[in-house]
Amino acid sequence: MKMEHWDEKIVSMLNGNTGGQPADNYGVIPEEAGPDLTAPVVQIGDEPHTFVETELLDGAMRMLIPQTFKLMSKEMAKRKYPSEHRPSVIYTTSNARINIAINHTMNPLPEDELSDFKKAMIQMLRRTQKLTKWYGDHEFSINGKPVATCEFLTPAVNANLYNLILFASFEDRALMCTFNCTDEELDDWKPVALAMMKSIQFIPQKEGDESHE
């Protein structure tokens, strides 16, 4: 499996700084019951939210996303994710403090190599990111499709950023979905972030359809 340029691709999905090692050890994240995002209203902290099924990657994927989240403009994406390897799809709040980024890469990833891929990505994250806390990682399935996640905090200006990354093989290529928010929103949004990831539906594409980047 080729891992060339993955350092930059991973870092480009985040808003933290590089360098350093986390104080925490590896750990497996236990299953937790999350909110029902299909409910008419989901209370998150002091704010009610309605989640809508949103088509992503030209219809190749669907995900429940808060109705108030909007596609990040290209100008803001360039500022927030300076790397040319920035995610192809980014949904964000009006103040850009909570983000959902999707990147269907061109890197080959057979489904049976997902676990090894996750381990390699974790090693890379721990080597390249200045992590302030490592929550752990987990492997499970969504509608019968194997996926893997990891969760951690990275330092930013005047705050820490919570990151949840989901890895999957889709169309035999690596797919990464990242949720991040500041630690001020962490308690309210952490269970919601995982529930959003678990709402993902992968839509098989017909032969001849264009690839999704």
Side-chain angles (χ1 to χ4, degrees), residues 28-29 48 75 96 104 116 159 196-197 211:
V28 175
I29 300 170
E75 293 74 18
H104 191 197
D116 290 339
M196 281 193 284
M197 295 298 184
S211 60

Side-chain angles (χ1 to χ4, degrees), residues 36-43 48-52 67:
D36 179 9
L37 303 187
T38 64
V41 175
V42 179
Q43 192 72 23
H49 288 269
T50 298
F51 285 74
V52 294
Q67 195 169 31

Side-chain angles (χ1 to χ4, degrees), residues 3-213:
M3 291 295 172
E4 298 174 1
H5 309 304
W6 272 108
D7 287 30
E8 186 174 358
K9 288 175 184 279
I10 285 285
V11 171
S12 71
M13 298 286 287
L14 311 173
N15 293 327
N17 299 317
T18 58
Q21 290 289 334
D24 302 71
N25 296 319
Y26 288 90
V28 175
I29 300 170
E31 282 278 4
E32 294 182 5
D36 179 9
L37 303 187
T38 64
V41 175
V42 179
Q43 192 72 23
I44 304 175
D46 297 328
E47 297 183 1
H49 288 269
T50 298
F51 285 74
V52 294
E53 189 173 74
T54 305
E55 286 195 353
L56 305 166
L57 304 178
D58 297 326
M61 174 179 154
R62 295 172 186 163
M63 184 180 187
L64 288 172
I65 294 177
Q67 195 169 31
T68 53
F69 281 42
K70 303 300 180 185
L71 276 171
M72 183 177 286
S73 67
K74 291 183 179 180
E75 293 74 18
M76 181 177 289
K78 288 179 181 179
R79 294 196 302 269
K80 201 167 184 67
Y81 301 85
S83 167
E84 64 179 13
H85 295 296
R86 71 183 61 87
S88 55
V89 179
I90 308 166
Y91 276 82
T92 187
T93 53
S94 58
N95 58 11
R97 287 168 61 93
I98 305 174
N99 305 283
I100 302 166
I102 294 95
N103 196 8
H104 191 197
T105 75
M106 297 305 295
N107 293 73
L109 177 59
E111 199 165 82
D112 60 2
E113 294 183 13
L114 178 63
S115 185
D116 290 339
F117 179 81
K118 180 205 68 174
K119 293 175 183 176
M121 293 299 99
I122 287 174
Q123 291 175 357
M124 191 174 298
L125 281 166
R126 292 169 69 91
R127 186 179 73 248
T128 63
Q129 290 291 296
K130 186 178 180 181
L131 307 180
T132 55
K133 182 176 177 63
W134 182 265
Y135 290 98
D137 61 271
H138 189 38
E139 294 184 26
F140 53 98
S141 63
I142 298 176
N143 296 324
K145 186 174 185 62
V147 299
T149 60
C150 62
E151 300 178 51
F152 52 92
L153 289 179
T154 55
V157 179
N158 300 323
N160 285 313
L161 288 174
Y162 167 72
N163 297 272
L164 167 63
I165 302 181
L166 178 140
F167 307 108
S169 170
F170 184 55
E171 298 176 350
D172 288 323
R173 292 186 282 129
L175 173 76
M176 292 191 298
C177 302
T178 302
F179 172 93
N180 59 50
C181 68
T182 67
D183 51 6
E184 292 181 6
E185 293 100 356
L186 174 58
D187 289 343
D188 294 332
W189 281 91
K190 187 173 183 292
V192 178
L194 184 57
M196 281 193 284
M197 295 298 184
K198 289 184 174 181
S199 76
I200 289 174
Q201 298 179 55
F202 297 101
I203 313 300
Q205 298 300 292
K206 297 178 181 178
E207 187 175 349
D209 284 359
E210 294 182 0
S211 60
H212 310 284
E213 300 181 8

